[in-house]
């Protein structure tokens, strides 16, 4: 029985790694034609689905020098002129030939900036809610507010998108100016969406702090703020960082609510109140009609999003958690 339990546990853990590897391989194989075509320039190119000429012509100059020609020279010039006409005809064909260019810079920046806005908005509020529920609120208040937080996390993202578009976006536009659908509006609504995850997990992590540690600190004369800062936060740091990582993952991959609010414009925003687009929104809006190289470019975007998520989470795991053990 013991060996069977070990095998089931090992299989379950290995399944996660197999799924992760399978997703990466699938994305890479589907994105490979776009990677071969655009290379790493795809990451810094802000054009998407634009037709560009295959070659570019330089400035033409004219020689105005007068030359006295002999009959033999005139015959040679006629032959040269015919060759020039053939070359110009080929150049005209090259000028009319175009290719479609795809670049991922705009959706990459939109994804990163909207996620950073969401974290900057949600993190302090979530920590405040968690501290209030864990240390300050009475049992009844903590119970009902805790249920409300968990219900907020259960609301589908499309509801947040509709609410944000019709009620939240006009308020943001009146306060900060600019467009109603913008990077700022999408980031703030995204912050509202990830806030319940961070608050609930942080509250549960804080509740695991042993009472003896807190009572010892109070006995030494510490205030409630000092107990929260010096006892509860250090003890529950791993759980708090875990909540931030989970919220970060949802913010990076959120699609429907952001599609309502970010504007879906392939343009780098000059201001935080300008519209732009994110990777999940670009994939959701274009995948149904994409084919050929355009479809491969969307898989390339998906691969970049996968690597971005992995990089952020790996950084948090190996940097912050390592510091917490020092």
């Amino acid at each position: 029985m013991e060996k069977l339990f070990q095998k089931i546990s090992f299989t379950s853990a290995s399944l996660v790694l197999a799924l992760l590897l399978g997703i990466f391989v699938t994305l890479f194989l589907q994105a490979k034609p776009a990677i071969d075509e655009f290379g790493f320039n795809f990451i810094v190119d802000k054009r998407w689905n634009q037709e560009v000429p295959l070659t570019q012509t330089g400035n033409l100059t004219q020689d105005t020098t007068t030359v006295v020609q002999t009959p033999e020279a005139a015959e040679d010039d006629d032959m040269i002129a015919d060759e020039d006409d053939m070359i110009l005809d080929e150049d005209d064909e090259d000028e009319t030939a175009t290719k479609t260019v795809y670049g991922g810079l705009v959706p990459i920046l939109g994804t990163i900036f909207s996620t950073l806005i969401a974290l900057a908005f949600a993190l302090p509020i979530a920590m405040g809610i968690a501290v209030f529920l864990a240390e300050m609120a009475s049992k009844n208040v903590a119970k009902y507010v805790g249920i409300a937080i968990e219900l907020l996390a259960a609301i589908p993202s499309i509801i947040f998108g509709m609410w944000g578009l019709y009620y939240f976006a006009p308020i943001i536009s009146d306060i900060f100016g600019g467009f109603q659908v913008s990077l700022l509006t999408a980031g703030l609504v995204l912050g509202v969406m990830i806030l319940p995850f961070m608050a609930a997990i942080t509250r549960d992590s804080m509740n695991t702090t042993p009472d003896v540690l807190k009572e010892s600190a109070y006995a030494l004369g510490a205030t409630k703020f000092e107990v929260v800062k010096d006892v509860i936060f250090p003890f529950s740091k791993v759980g708090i960082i875990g909540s931030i990582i989970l919220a970060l993952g949802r913010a990076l991959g959120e699609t429907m609510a952001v599609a309502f609010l970010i504007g879906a414009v392939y343009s780098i925003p000059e201001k935080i109140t300008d519209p732009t687009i994110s990777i999940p929104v670009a994939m959701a809006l274009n995948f149904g009609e994409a084919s050929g190289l355009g479809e491969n470019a969307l898989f390339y975007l998906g691969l970049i999003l996968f690597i971005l998520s992995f990089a952020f989470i790996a950084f948090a795991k190996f940097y912050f958690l390592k510091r917490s053990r020092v």
Side-chain angles (χ1 to χ4, degrees), residues 202-229:
T202 301
R203 175 205 58 189
D204 293 341
S205 180
M206 287 181 174
N207 284 335
T208 61
T209 306
D211 290 336
V212 65
L213 291 179
K214 293 184 284 186
E215 291 169 359
S216 300
Y218 285 125
L220 292 173
T223 62
K224 188 175 285 293
F225 173 76
E226 290 170 338
V227 170
V228 171
K229 180 173 68 73

Side-chain angles (χ1 to χ4, degrees), residues 264-286:
V265 176
Y266 284 94
S267 171
I268 297 177
E270 296 180 357
K271 297 179 295 185
I272 199 172
T273 53
D274 287 344
T276 184
I277 196 168
S278 67
I279 293 177
V281 174
M283 296 175 69
L285 296 182
N286 296 294

Side-chain angles (χ1 to χ4, degrees), residues 22-35 38 42 48 102 104 107-108 266 279-280 282-284 286-288 290-308:
I23 293 171
F24 177 80
V25 171
T26 301
L27 288 174
F28 180 78
L29 291 178
Q30 293 292 336
K32 194 171 186 310
I35 295 173
F38 305 115
F42 181 85
W48 182 267
Y102 294 92
I108 290 172
Y266 284 94
I279 293 177
M283 296 175 69
N286 296 294
F287 207 85
S291 62
L293 196 58
E295 187 179 30
N296 300 129
L298 290 175
F299 274 104
Y300 198 175
L301 280 179
L303 181 64
I304 292 172
L305 182 62
F306 182 87
I307 294 173
L308 271 179

Side-chain angles (χ1 to χ4, degrees), residues 82-234:
D82 292 340
E83 293 177 356
D84 289 343
D85 290 340
M86 294 177 62
I87 294 173
L88 288 174
D89 290 341
E90 292 176 356
D91 289 343
D92 290 340
E93 292 178 0
D94 289 341
E95 288 176 357
T96 57
T98 61
K99 68 175 183 179
T100 307
V101 174
Y102 294 92
L105 179 61
V106 175
I108 290 172
L109 292 180
T111 303
I112 294 175
F113 289 146
S114 61
T115 302
L116 291 178
I117 292 171
L119 281 179
F121 172 73
L123 185 59
I125 298 176
M127 294 301 110
I129 293 173
V131 170
F132 174 76
L133 295 179
E135 295 300 318
M136 299 178 182
S138 63
K139 287 187 178 180
N140 287 333
V141 172
K143 177 182 176 182
Y144 291 114
V145 175
I147 293 173
I149 292 291
E150 291 164 359
L151 289 176
L152 189 63
I155 296 176
S157 60
I158 193 170
I159 304 299
F160 279 108
M162 296 166 64
W163 165 76
L165 180 63
Y166 287 105
Y167 297 100
F168 193 66
I171 297 173
I172 295 299
S173 179
D174 290 340
I175 296 175
F176 297 98
F179 296 88
Q180 291 189 2
V181 287
S182 65
L183 179 64
L184 178 62
T185 307
L188 292 177
V189 172
L190 205 53
V192 174
M193 295 177 63
I194 65 175
L195 192 151
F197 291 94
M198 298 172 66
I201 298 175
T202 301
R203 175 205 58 189
D204 293 341
S205 180
M206 287 181 174
N207 284 335
T208 61
T209 306
D211 290 336
V212 65
L213 291 179
K214 293 184 284 186
E215 291 169 359
S216 300
Y218 285 125
L220 292 173
T223 62
K224 188 175 285 293
F225 173 76
E226 290 170 338
V227 170
V228 171
K229 180 173 68 73
D230 297 329
V231 177
I232 298 177
F233 269 117

Side-chain angles (χ1 to χ4, degrees), residues 13-85:
S14 302
L15 184 62
V16 175
L17 295 177
L19 284 173
L20 194 65
L21 184 62
I23 293 171
F24 177 80
V25 171
T26 301
L27 288 174
F28 180 78
L29 291 178
Q30 293 292 336
K32 194 171 186 310
I35 295 173
D36 294 338
E37 178 69 21
F38 305 115
F40 287 105
N41 287 332
F42 181 85
I43 299 173
V44 296
D45 195 336
K46 62 183 179 181
R47 297 170 296 179
W48 182 267
N49 196 18
Q50 289 188 10
E51 297 287 336
V52 297
L54 286 173
T55 59
Q56 294 182 352
T57 57
N59 294 327
L60 297 177
T61 57
Q62 293 182 345
D63 188 0
T64 58
T65 305
T66 303
V67 178
V68 178
Q69 294 182 331
T70 61
E72 292 79 6
E75 184 178 353
D76 292 340
D77 286 347
D78 291 340
M79 295 177 63
I80 294 172
D82 292 340
E83 293 177 356
D84 289 343
D85 290 340

